[in-house]
Structure formats: structure tokens, C-alpha cells
Amino acid sequence: MDENQPEHNPLGVQNVTPRIGIPNRPAVQAPTNPLAKHFRQPAIYISLPSRGQYWESGSLDIPETGELPVYPMTTRDEITLRTPDALMNGQGVVEVLQSCIPSIKNAWKMPSVDTDVALMAMRIASYGHNMDFEGTCPKCNEEHSYTMDLRTLMATIKCPDYNQLMDLQAVNIKFKPQSYLETTRAGQAQFELSRYEKMVSEMGDDALDEKSKLATQQIKRLNELALDIMTNSTEYIIDVESGSRIERKDYIREFYTNIDTKIVQEINDYMGKLVEESNPKMQKVNCVGCGEAIEIRIAFDYANFFVLGF
Ligand SMILES: [Zn+2]
């Protein structure tokens, strides 16, 4: 920056060559808190399975090294995560993710392939790399808890190959991971539906008409939910005959609404396999009770995931 440059350009033209995010002249700096050097420091650095793909522009700011610093949670973050409503609607997790991994500017846009790694990293940064998972032995039926190293688990998470198109002969489908916002919405809808299902099943037989009406509604809503998930997970569809690539969400949804249910099933299976690939792999251990070699499923329940840390 030229020291002799006047405070205000006399021509009234400022920022002739604007550089986004870098002001031409620093604003008057607030006095630096001498305690700032004691503020939290990054505990680990991670690279995301997506490598930044599938993030909307501006929602992620990857450092040159490709590795994102992860800070431990503050007390405020922990309180946010203990607020049941904020956890339920995803807002709490989003806030804490953005606080602990500042490279993430908008966690709602995070592709599902990155969620587990980001959460594990936050937990490692805050509570260390060991975490207990429960597993039941199929031989002796005993349940025990097994301590796993989250760093090892994190390394098993891979981004599925979304560039491989699903070939349905007449059309080819290109999938993409859902965003955190879409996943959260789908999860909430699923939760509402299961509550509704319980309510319907508890209705007495004297209300049989009402009961079957509600059950039909429920099937319709489940179907809508499945269509949403399929549409949100589709980047585009190629019509093989014309070679045209369809990216419009409304066209894609209409397509899924009007195809044979058998094909819908095939598509769902295919999508399920893609999602499965990005989940942490089962871990082999020996049963503490009888020594049998068993496999433990590594599942993350947001509430447990963080509350267990205390
Ligand atoms: Zn056993």
C-alpha cells in the first residue's frame, strides 16, 4: 500500500482495483486484547472427504494447504449444543460447526459426505480422540462398550464417486450428496411422520374410517419425502435419445413422480449404496465376554455424540 496515497481520492473514485475481502486501507484498529494470545488455538487440521466439491460458492473457504483448522468448543458452543430445539432443527450444530471450523462459512450448505468428518474433528478437538461405542455380541448376547480412536474412524470415510452416472438405458442420472439443510429437513419430516404413525396406530377401532384416511395421508407424505430426497440428490439427468441434460429441479421431480415404481426402487438402492460408502466403516473387535470376533457399527447421534464428552 502506498504510504503517500491521500486519505480520500480527490476524484471521489475509491477502490479502483477492489480486492474482495481486503480493504484498501485498514480501519482504525480496536486495541488488541493482551489476553488474545491465550484464546483457543486449532487442535487439529482436517481435509474434507469432498475436497470442497458440492459446496456452494462462498460457503467454504479452504486454506491453501487444503487443511482446515479445527478449534475446541467454547462454553458457549457447548451450551448451544445442549439446547434441545437448536439440536433438533440443526441450527445448533450449524452454529457450533462454524465456530469450531471457521473455514466453514455456511454449514447448512455442507454436503452430507463431510458431516461425519466435521463432527468427529470437533469432538477430537474438544474432548480428545477416544470415544466409546456400544456393541452387542451375536454369540453371547452381551453388550459392552468399546473404545475407538476417532482419528482411525475418520480415515475410513471416503467420498463416493458421484461422477459415475447411473445408467438406466433411456436416461443417465448424475447424483450429488444432499446438503446439511436438506438432510436435516428430511430427518425432521421423518421424525414427524413416525410420531404421526404412532398416533394413528394408537387410535381405537371405533374410528376405523378416520384411521384409514390418516394412514393414506401418511403414505402420501412418505412418498413426497422420498421424492424430495431423490430430487435433492440429483445433479442432472441426461436424456440419452436427445442428449439433453436436465438440471431443472421441477423437471427432475416430475420425472421421478411419473416413472415406474420398480425403477424408483432401483434408484433408491443405488443412492443408498452411495450414502453407505461415505459412512464410517464397521469396526472389528473381540467380544469382551467370550472373545468372539464381532463388528461394531459406528453411528452418530448428535445428542449422544457431544453429551458423552462431558
Ligand atoms: Zn460374546
Side-chain angles (χ1 to χ4, degrees):
M1 184 68 50
D2 182 3
E3 291 295 324
N4 298 320
Q5 194 181 330
E7 196 62 31
H8 297 286
N9 187 319
L11 296 172
V13 183
Q14 285 181 316
N15 300 326
V16 179
T17 50
R19 294 169 64 191
I20 293 159
I22 305 170
N24 268 352
R25 191 168 291 276
V28 178
Q29 292 243 315
T32 307
N33 185 343
L35 295 173
K37 60 178 179 287
H38 304 297
F39 291 177
R40 60 181 174 159
Q41 298 294 317
I44 53 161
Y45 290 81
I46 53 160
S47 54
L48 296 172
S50 71
R51 310 270 165 191
Q53 274 192 93
Y54 314 112
W55 286 78
E56 210 170 87
S57 150
S59 59
L60 177 71
D61 191 1
I62 304 187
E64 300 252 323
T65 57
E67 302 218 301
L68 281 50
V70 184
Y71 293 76
M73 283 190 251
T74 60
T75 308
R76 196 192 135 144
D77 294 335
E78 287 184 347
I79 292 167
T80 305
L81 280 180
R82 285 170 182 226
T83 314
D85 281 352
L87 259 191
M88 196 58 212
N89 64 25
Q91 183 62 40
V93 176
V94 162
E95 278 173 28
V96 176
L97 274 169
Q98 290 170 187
S99 158
C100 295
I101 313 179
S103 309
I104 297 179
K105 304 299 175 199
N106 185 353
W108 288 117
K109 302 290 180 192
M110 177 170 57
S112 57
V113 291
D114 290 337
T115 314
D116 280 347
V117 165
L119 292 175
M120 282 192 215
M122 243 163 63
R123 198 179 191 284
I124 294 171
S126 308
Y127 311 123
H129 56 255
N130 284 335
M131 183 168 172
D132 291 344
F133 292 90
E134 306 293 321
T136 302
C137 170
K139 197 177 169 197
C140 70
N141 269 324
E142 277 182 42
E143 190 189 64
H144 295 282
S145 89
Y146 298 88
T147 303
M148 306 278 173
D149 188 331
L150 289 174
R151 296 169 302 182
T152 314
L153 297 181
M154 231 162 65
T156 69
I157 300 179
K158 298 275 180 290
C159 188
D161 183 7
Y162 282 98
N163 294 321
Q164 185 72 44
L165 303 192
M166 182 184 187
D167 186 357
L168 285 169
Q169 292 182 342
V171 294
N172 293 333
I173 306 176
K174 167 88 159 68
F175 293 104
K176 64 176 171 134
Q178 287 195 95
S179 71
Y180 188 65
L181 178 66
E182 291 160 348
T183 317
T184 308
R185 282 204 184 136
Q188 270 180 303
Q190 232 136 20
F191 177 75
E192 296 289 325
L193 269 166
S194 64
R195 276 212 320 213
Y196 190 72
E197 187 175 21
K198 189 162 174 277
M199 191 190 87
V200 172
S201 72
E202 281 168 357
M203 284 170 74
D205 282 346
D206 49 328
L208 213 58
D209 276 357
E210 184 68 6
K211 204 171 165 176
S212 74
K213 210 174 92 190
L214 287 174
T216 310
Q217 271 176 18
Q218 193 185 348
I219 292 167
K220 277 190 185 148
R221 284 169 65 184
L222 258 176
N223 186 43
E224 292 294 310
L225 180 62
L227 283 169
D228 284 345
I229 294 174
M230 287 167 75
T231 307
N232 291 334
S233 306
T234 304
E235 193 175 320
Y236 58 78
I237 299 178
I238 290 174
D239 173 46
V240 173
E241 200 181 54
S242 69
S244 56
R245 176 197 281 212
I246 294 92
E247 292 181 21
R248 270 180 64 164
K249 270 196 160 188
D250 54 342
Y251 285 176
I252 292 173
R253 198 175 200 284
E254 198 180 5
F255 167 76
Y256 287 141
T257 312
N258 289 291
I259 52 174
D260 197 322
T261 175
K262 241 170 58 194
I263 303 172
V264 169
Q265 193 53 52
E266 259 180 70
I267 295 170
N268 272 319
D269 291 348
Y270 189 95
M271 276 171 32
K273 276 185 200 135
L274 282 175
V275 170
E276 188 61 37
E277 270 181 66
S278 64
N279 287 341
K281 303 289 165 287
M282 303 271 279
Q283 294 297 304
K284 291 186 176 71
V285 293
N286 289 317
C287 169
V288 176
C290 70
E292 177 82 355
I294 59 170
E295 288 199 319
I296 308 275
R297 206 172 81 83
I298 306 300
F300 294 107
D301 168 297
Y302 295 148
N304 280 351
F305 192 57
F306 294 105
V307 172
L308 278 173
F310 293 97

